[in-house]
Amino acid sequence: MTREQLRIVFMGTPEFAVATLQRLVEGGYNVVAVVTQPDKPVGRHGSVLQAPEVKKYALEKGIPVLQPEKMKDPEFVEQLRQFNADVQVVVAFRMLPEVVWNMPRMGTFNVHAALLPQYRGAAPINWAIINGETQTGVTTFFLDHDIDTGKVILRRPFDIPDDADVEYVYDGLMALGAQAAIDTIDMLLENDGKVEALPQDTLVEGNTPLRNAPKIFKETCQIDWTRPAKRIYDFVRGLSPVPGAWTTMRPVEGGEEKVVKIYRTTKMDGMTTTGEPGTILTEKNMLLVATGDGMLRVDVLQMAGKKRMEARDFLNGFKNAADFILV
């Protein structure tokens, strides 16, 4: 069987998934249908429907698109069956029922943005950076009944520089994931769907604890200034540029509090802590904040309702910053 004959159904929703779909289409692989989320209401009254990025690309290329509300809907399942897929490729989508993932003769594989079994869950890129990892990667694995637990087909590593934020790692893994999907399909083609896939428990190194990557909510993003400077530094870059780490500026003498998002910081190695955690020190156009074990320089921030700005510009318009404490 050739790539032109292999019938592929692709499942995904955001921009991250488009890179893989594009590689498949431009590589001459036979994508017979795309499954994505329903259009999302946007605008003040939700009166405008916004199509997922995967749908936009698929329609541009003339690929049929299915957008089921429920993956177990009998009508959708029958529509999907009619495409007679040999394999299904899943990137940044939703959990699938067995009736869907067990349908193709070669199975259904997922591209996950981490080196499984580490960082199972919805936000693997964010949590890898938040936890100060120096390496992450992508994994392709066959879907089974649980989330991100299926047998691993291949893994590809990706280094995380100490100054990298989510955008950098996202872009890198988006491209790496697309290549991993191509490599996985080529393996399936060469072996008529019969590839050696490893149980994830065989990939755990020694007594290394497994870290999960749960969905991130607003409360997840609040900065705890009592933590060490390095942990806060990683926390900020692990949430930048979106959704953004945040803190509250509280007047020392009492008064109105202000919510601030922080997008970039710098570790001030060797600088002794001044004041209790969250204490602000302004020095030579620098916005310094005391942490649990040292000082951290805030470089880029955004006041609620204002534009994102460099700290020096913030200080030019906010002369009394040192009269506040961050909590």
Side-chain angles (χ1 to χ4, degrees), residues 188-245:
L188 292 169
L189 274 172
E190 292 169 9
N191 299 279
D192 194 31
K194 298 177 179 64
V195 297
E196 181 181 4
L198 301 176
Q200 291 191 27
D201 58 8
T202 67
L203 299 171
V204 179
E205 299 178 3
N207 296 320
T208 303
L210 295 183
R211 287 176 159 173
N212 292 321
K215 187 175 181 179
I216 289 175
F217 299 94
K218 180 182 178 181
E219 55 269 25
T220 312
C221 303
Q222 184 173 10
I223 299 170
D224 178 359
W225 295 100
T226 67
R227 304 185 81 188
K230 174 64 163 67
R231 296 299 303 272
I232 298 173
Y233 170 79
D234 292 335
F235 185 79
V236 168
R237 66 193 182 98
L239 295 168
S240 180
V242 290

Side-chain angles (χ1 to χ4, degrees), residues 7 84-88 99-108:
R7 298 180 65 81
N84 194 28
D86 294 301
V87 65
Q88 292 175 155
V99 67
V100 172
W101 59 255
N102 201 31
M103 193 180 294
R105 69 181 184 88
M106 291 185 180
T108 299

Side-chain angles (χ1 to χ4, degrees), residues 248-268:
T248 300
M249 291 183 66
R250 177 181 297 166
V252 175
E253 301 295 332
E256 183 183 359
E257 297 183 348
K258 304 175 186 295
V259 175
V260 182
K261 281 192 174 184
I262 297 179
Y263 295 98
R264 191 172 73 241
T265 63
T266 296
K267 294 173 291 181
M268 304 300 288

Side-chain angles (χ1 to χ4, degrees), residues 93-306:
F93 196 43
R94 57 207 276 193
M95 189 171 181
L96 303 182
E98 183 175 2
V99 67
V100 172
W101 59 255
N102 201 31
M103 193 180 294
R105 69 181 184 88
M106 291 185 180
T108 299
F109 74 84
N110 185 86
V111 179
H112 186 71
L115 296 175
L116 291 174
Q118 292 290 357
Y119 295 104
R120 295 170 177 155
I125 297 176
N126 300 91
W127 285 108
I129 302 172
I130 288 171
N131 288 330
E133 303 286 3
T134 58
Q135 187 180 76
T136 183
V138 295
T139 303
T140 61
F141 67 97
F142 287 117
L143 265 63
D144 63 11
H145 293 94
D146 297 313
I147 298 175
D148 300 334
T149 59
K151 291 185 177 181
V152 169
I153 306 167
L154 60 80
R155 299 193 297 176
R156 297 283 186 267
F158 181 86
D159 291 337
I160 306 176
D162 184 62
D163 60 349
D165 61 9
V166 172
E167 185 173 35
Y168 175 90
V169 180
Y170 178 98
D171 289 345
L173 294 188
M174 184 166 59
L176 189 61
Q179 184 59 54
I182 295 293
D183 293 343
T184 300
I185 290 175
D186 288 346
M187 289 171 61
L188 292 169
L189 274 172
E190 292 169 9
N191 299 279
D192 194 31
K194 298 177 179 64
V195 297
E196 181 181 4
L198 301 176
Q200 291 191 27
D201 58 8
T202 67
L203 299 171
V204 179
E205 299 178 3
N207 296 320
T208 303
L210 295 183
R211 287 176 159 173
N212 292 321
K215 187 175 181 179
I216 289 175
F217 299 94
K218 180 182 178 181
E219 55 269 25
T220 312
C221 303
Q222 184 173 10
I223 299 170
D224 178 359
W225 295 100
T226 67
R227 304 185 81 188
K230 174 64 163 67
R231 296 299 303 272
I232 298 173
Y233 170 79
D234 292 335
F235 185 79
V236 168
R237 66 193 182 98
L239 295 168
S240 180
V242 290
W246 63 274
T247 188
T248 300
M249 291 183 66
R250 177 181 297 166
V252 175
E253 301 295 332
E256 183 183 359
E257 297 183 348
K258 304 175 186 295
V259 175
V260 182
K261 281 192 174 184
I262 297 179
Y263 295 98
R264 191 172 73 241
T265 63
T266 296
K267 294 173 291 181
M268 304 300 288
D269 296 334
M271 181 175 282
T272 305
T273 302
T274 301
E276 64 179 287
T279 299
I280 296 174
L281 175 66
T282 57
E283 183 179 295
K284 297 179 181 179
N285 259 349
M286 293 190 297
L287 177 58
L288 302 170
V289 184
T291 71
D293 70 350
M295 301 297 287
L296 199 65
R297 190 181 77 203
V298 174
D299 297 322
V300 180
L301 70 162
Q302 182 178 17
M303 300 283 289
K306 304 291 184 180

Side-chain angles (χ1 to χ4, degrees), residues 33-108:
V34 160
V35 181
T36 189
Q37 297 276 35
D39 293 0
K40 182 180 179 180
V42 295
R44 179 174 296 180
H45 304 292
S47 56
V48 178
L49 292 178
Q50 180 174 296
E53 295 301 315
V54 161
K55 177 183 178 180
K56 294 176 185 177
Y57 180 83
L59 293 179
E60 287 177 6
K61 301 301 178 180
I63 303 171
V65 176
L66 302 179
Q67 295 178 274
E69 291 283 350
K70 297 180 179 179
M71 299 301 290
K72 290 184 179 180
D73 178 15
E75 183 178 348
F76 161 69
V77 172
E78 184 53 36
Q79 284 180 314
L80 186 62
R81 200 182 306 278
Q82 295 301 314
F83 286 104
N84 194 28
D86 294 301
V87 65
Q88 292 175 155
V89 181
V90 181
V91 184
F93 196 43
R94 57 207 276 193
M95 189 171 181
L96 303 182
E98 183 175 2
V99 67
V100 172
W101 59 255
N102 201 31
M103 193 180 294
R105 69 181 184 88
M106 291 185 180
T108 299

